[in-house]
Amino acid sequence: MRMLGVVVVIFIAAPLLIVVPMSFSSARSLQFPPPGYWLGYYQAYFTDLTWLRPTWNSIVIATATMVLTMVLVVPATFALVRHRFAGKSIADLMMLMPLAVPHIVMAVGYYSFLGEYRLVHTHIGVVLAHTCLSVPIAFLVLSANLKGFDRTLERAAQSLGASPIKTFIHVTLPILRPGLVISALFAFVQSFDETVVAIFISGRNAETLPRKMFDSIRQEADPVIAVISTLLFAAVLLALLAPAGWKGIRSRLRARTPPTAITTGR
Amino acid sequence: MTSYLQIDGVTKKFGDFTALEKVDLSVRKGEFVTFLGPSGSGKTTTLMIIAGFEKATHGDVLIEGRSISRLAPHERNIGIVFQNYALFPHKTAAENVYFPLQMRSIARSAGLRKAQEMLSLVGLEGMGGRYPKELSGGQQQRVALARALVFEPSLLLLDEPLGALDKNLREQMQIEIKRIQRTLGVTTIFVTHDQSEAMSMSDRIVVFEKGRIEQAATPLDIYHRPATRFVAGFVGESNLVPAEIKDAGGVAESAALGACDFEPAEPVSPGDNVTLLIRPEHIRLSRKPIEGRKNVSMHVDTIVNYGDNSLVIGRVGDLQMRVRVLGADVVIIKEGEDCCVSWLPESVYAIPAA
């Protein structure tokens, strides 16, 4: 069992061990092991508009996708988890449908559908398509959170004088915050990461980073790809470690306050 | 009796099922009333209707003569302690207690000061900074109580709040809740299915069964003068003997016991069917009949020893009888033997057959 674990870990970590050194490589194309090391490709990435524009596109599209997804998913999840209505099981199924359909099939569909409304090759078109793909993921995360939510907390809040709206703001929302943050993050990452649909409909105008990388690796195997991969990995690592680090800082601050002075904890 | 809380002909139906049927009750200001009954008897439904979380199908609820039926839960000014406490996990104890004040637009500094005072009253001085998960069950209970009381509610509702606590802590909290309730003089309704809890805490007990009120009376009346067979059987241990009145002055006859004297609490007439209630602790066990008491012979089947007392279960004819015996009395008798059981006429209460 332990051996198997080690093998799995190596398998997961291996791409990183290859990509990170390659980003510092001095070779003219992707090559492993690198013949020498320099930072030239980092400079190339941060100065080359043909790379920076897709990056910016991806950030804009992923952010818009995340916002639109949450606007749709939060009310939908409350309705589907907390209420019974006719056609509920069908609605439940439709929410998850995009997970079951292959991306390539979705991509062809979006291409012809968005074409009719002249939305192919636009940011809006990509955002709409990505939102469809993000909704089921965000819904799954949030509904699991909402199902575990103890509704007597809301009753308690109301008995204590909170109107339904105040109850939502002061009790429901803060307690669900971790679930909301995670589902929003998943929506963002899904869009940022998505390649197939982006290749079909993003075009030159709304070209996203994964699409640009895909084009680039086909044509020239530009080592900037390794740079981007490394930067993305660093960003994810930072995002993962940040909450733990923040907790550490907070508990240290709390420990320093004399106990009698603690009234609110935060 | 001026009534503070008035429940007026409240009926609650869930589809075809009638959860409550024409419930009437009136509660005095400052009174501690317990709703007692088995699960599904309607006690919690009644509580939820008072709180506003359920709507009555018919009937009305009034506080100080004003109907509250149309008010939303947050407009009712009623404090509730829930079974699982329902403390807000993202707020500290002090912030939890401050919450109802915050909802009433009381400034944070003044509100938190009041919350701290309330926490001191429930014995949690200096614990305000802790989060609910850092508190024990009993402490969480106290926070929930403080939170339900800090805004000076017109009514305090307690929904089986002691169910999750272990026995020692439960007894401690019973005394504590009683003390706090007396200190503040708040009118309180306490829901429980635990009869000893109801006995020890209440000014008055309301016994629910199948959506109706069986009896509403003081704990002693509930125990010694139950209105129905159900109340007699549900509260405390009992020997219930079907009998027929022979003499309005206090003689009833049953198949197993023969003629049996009792002191009638309510007028009865010959030929009435009644159920005689004889509490197991009012029966004495002896070798020979005792002068001045009703004596019958019993065959002892089982003796269960509880340390400070024993339960003797035996048969008088076809009738099973339970006798509570304190300490050493039980030494005189063994399982399988015959003995004499006896009681005084005033220990027999005749429950009218409904």
Side-chain angles (χ1 to χ4, degrees):
Chain A
M1 272 321 277
R2 189 171 292 176
M3 269 310 290
L4 190 68
V6 171
V7 169
V8 168
V9 167
I10 288 173
F11 216 76
I12 293 170
L16 290 173
L17 296 178
I18 293 172
V19 164
V20 175
M22 274 201 307
S23 73
F24 297 102
S25 159
S26 58
R28 305 223 31 192
S29 67
L30 289 176
Q31 189 184 330
F32 191 84
Y37 294 94
W38 73 320
L39 288 169
Y41 289 111
Y42 279 85
Q43 195 190 349
Y45 170 70
F46 283 111
T47 52
D48 188 349
L49 265 187
T50 62
W51 281 110
L52 289 180
R53 273 200 44 197
T55 308
W56 180 241
N57 279 340
S58 269
I59 290 170
V60 168
I61 287 169
T63 307
T65 299
M66 174 179 82
V67 172
L68 186 57
T69 301
M70 293 315 280
V71 166
L72 293 170
V73 161
V74 171
T77 309
F78 273 87
L80 285 168
V81 172
R82 291 198 169 173
H83 300 279
R84 290 155 177 264
F85 50 87
K88 182 183 146 154
S89 51
I90 294 174
D92 246 330
L93 196 68
M94 293 306 289
M95 289 293 281
L96 299 175
M97 202 62 154
L99 278 186
V101 181
H103 278 200
I104 188 76
V105 176
M106 303 279 283
V108 172
Y110 292 135
Y111 188 77
S112 49
F113 177 78
L114 293 172
E116 267 184 53
Y117 297 92
R118 298 172 173 275
L119 287 173
V120 178
H121 300 183
T122 64
H123 286 74
I124 294 174
V126 182
V127 168
L128 288 177
H130 276 181
T131 300
C132 291
L133 299 174
S134 289
V135 159
I137 301 167
F139 172 66
L140 277 180
V141 174
L142 197 57
S143 64
N145 268 270
L146 193 57
K147 274 174 197 157
F149 182 89
D150 177 10
R151 293 200 71 182
T152 42
L153 292 175
E154 289 175 345
R155 286 193 160 184
Q158 286 179 32
S159 77
L160 297 169
S163 64
I165 293 169
K166 279 188 172 174
T167 300
F168 188 76
I169 294 169
H170 289 281
V171 175
T172 315
L173 217 51
I175 294 172
L176 285 179
R177 190 186 294 144
L180 287 165
V181 168
I182 289 170
S183 67
L185 209 65
F186 274 19
F188 183 93
V189 168
Q190 192 288 134
S191 165
F192 202 88
D193 205 33
E194 204 286 331
T195 320
V196 179
V197 172
I199 286 172
F200 271 70
I201 61 174
S202 70
R204 278 271 162 245
N205 278 336
E207 187 181 40
T208 64
L209 196 56
R211 182 199 158 114
K212 168 70 183 168
M213 288 167 81
F214 183 74
D215 285 349
S216 164
I217 205 164
R218 249 183 352 168
Q219 286 156 13
E220 52 204 322
D222 192 336
V224 169
I225 292 168
V227 170
I228 296 167
S229 306
T230 305
L231 289 174
L232 286 179
F233 170 64
V236 170
L237 200 66
L238 207 67
L240 282 178
L241 294 180
W246 172 238
K247 235 179 227 172
I249 291 167
R250 230 178 69 182
S251 65
R252 220 173 271 176
L253 283 179
R254 268 186 77 186
R256 238 185 260 162
T257 330
T260 47
I262 300 177
T263 52
T264 63
R266 236 182 291 181
Chain B
M1 176 175 105
T2 54
S3 93
Y4 178 74
L5 168 73
Q6 178 94 30
I7 299 173
D8 234 0
V10 165
T11 297
K12 174 70 187 175
K13 289 185 173 146
F14 295 104
D16 288 341
F17 174 70
T18 304
L20 285 179
E21 181 134 24
K22 293 194 187 121
V23 167
D24 291 305
L25 182 71
S26 123
V27 176
R28 284 190 308 276
K29 193 170 176 62
E31 203 176 5
F32 191 112
V33 173
T34 297
F35 289 2
L36 178 67
S39 52
S41 59
K43 56 191 195 302
T44 298
T45 307
T46 309
L47 198 77
M48 288 298 127
I49 287 172
I50 298 170
F53 294 120
E54 297 282 0
K55 261 192 150 47
T57 315
H58 301 291
D60 203 357
V61 180
L62 305 102
I63 291 181
E64 288 186 303
R66 273 194 302 270
S67 168
I68 58 166
S69 294
R70 281 166 191 280
L71 297 180
H74 70 274
E75 297 165 328
R76 293 194 180 196
N77 206 42
I78 292 175
I80 308 178
V81 176
F82 292 88
Q83 197 166 6
N84 64 353
Y85 320 135
L87 295 180
F88 306 132
H90 61 299
K91 290 175 180 287
T92 61
E95 285 171 328
N96 262 282
V97 179
Y98 168 57
F99 184 81
L101 304 175
Q102 185 185 1
M103 291 303 112
R104 285 161 177 77
S105 304
I106 290 169
R108 193 173 171 87
S109 56
L112 282 171
R113 211 176 315 122
K114 190 149 184 220
Q116 294 290 6
E117 284 169 25
M118 206 64 213
L119 284 172
S120 307
L121 178 71
V122 300
L124 289 179
E125 185 115 46
M127 302 265 221
R130 305 248 186 116
Y131 282 92
K133 61 169 190 280
E134 299 165 343
L135 297 170
S136 71
Q139 291 170 333
Q140 290 183 29
Q141 170 81 71
R142 289 161 193 260
V143 176
L145 194 61
R147 188 179 67 173
L149 287 168
V150 72
F151 58 100
E152 289 159 23
S154 49
L155 201 60
L156 175 66
L157 307 181
L158 304 159
D159 184 13
E160 306 215 14
L162 305 178
L165 301 178
D166 65 56
K167 190 170 169 290
N168 285 336
L169 202 52
R170 202 154 62 209
E171 278 167 7
Q172 203 183 318
M173 281 309 293
Q174 284 174 14
I175 297 166
E176 193 68 8
I177 288 174
K178 221 24 228 180
R179 177 184 68 82
I180 294 161
Q181 191 263 343
R182 279 213 196 98
T183 309
L184 300 174
V186 60
T187 312
T188 303
I189 292 177
F190 183 93
V191 165
T192 184
H193 58 255
D194 182 325
Q195 38 137 331
S196 68
E197 216 164 86
M199 282 289 158
S200 65
M201 296 176 76
S202 323
D203 295 326
R204 207 145 56 98
I205 296 176
V206 180
V207 182
F208 279 79
E209 161 71 351
K210 292 184 179 147
R212 294 166 183 276
I213 291 180
E214 290 273 316
Q215 187 174 13
T218 63
L220 284 179
D221 273 354
I222 292 274
Y223 191 77
H224 294 291
R225 282 180 285 282
T228 66
R229 232 191 117 97
F230 173 80
V231 175
F234 189 71
V235 180
E237 278 186 309
S238 53
N239 293 294
L240 294 168
V241 189
E244 190 188 318
I245 302 289
K246 285 291 164 205
D247 183 332
V251 184
E253 187 163 309
S254 89
L257 303 179
C260 185
D261 290 347
F262 69 99
E263 287 188 355
E266 274 123 63
V268 285
S269 42
D272 284 0
N273 284 316
V274 293
T275 300
L276 300 180
L277 164 67
I278 310 162
R279 295 288 183 192
E281 70 274 19
H282 291 158
I283 301 176
R284 266 181 70 181
L285 208 75
S286 55
R287 283 252 171 248
K288 292 191 179 105
I290 301 171
E291 194 81 9
R293 299 168 74 95
K294 164 79 179 172
N295 289 278
V296 289
S297 162
M298 181 176 89
H299 179 78
V300 176
D301 289 324
T302 315
I303 301 176
V304 187
N305 179 25
Y306 291 100
D308 59 345
N309 72 82
S310 298
L311 176 65
V312 180
I313 303 171
R315 271 174 293 134
V316 177
D318 292 340
L319 181 76
Q320 194 190 62
M321 290 209 71
R322 296 166 157 259
V323 183
R324 274 281 161 190
V325 184
L326 273 181
D329 280 14
V330 79
V331 175
I332 62 167
I333 207 79
K334 289 194 177 62
E335 289 181 5
E337 291 181 348
D338 286 321
C339 68
C340 195
V341 288
S342 62
W343 57 84
L344 294 166
E346 56 260 43
S347 299
V348 182
Y349 179 74
I351 305 165

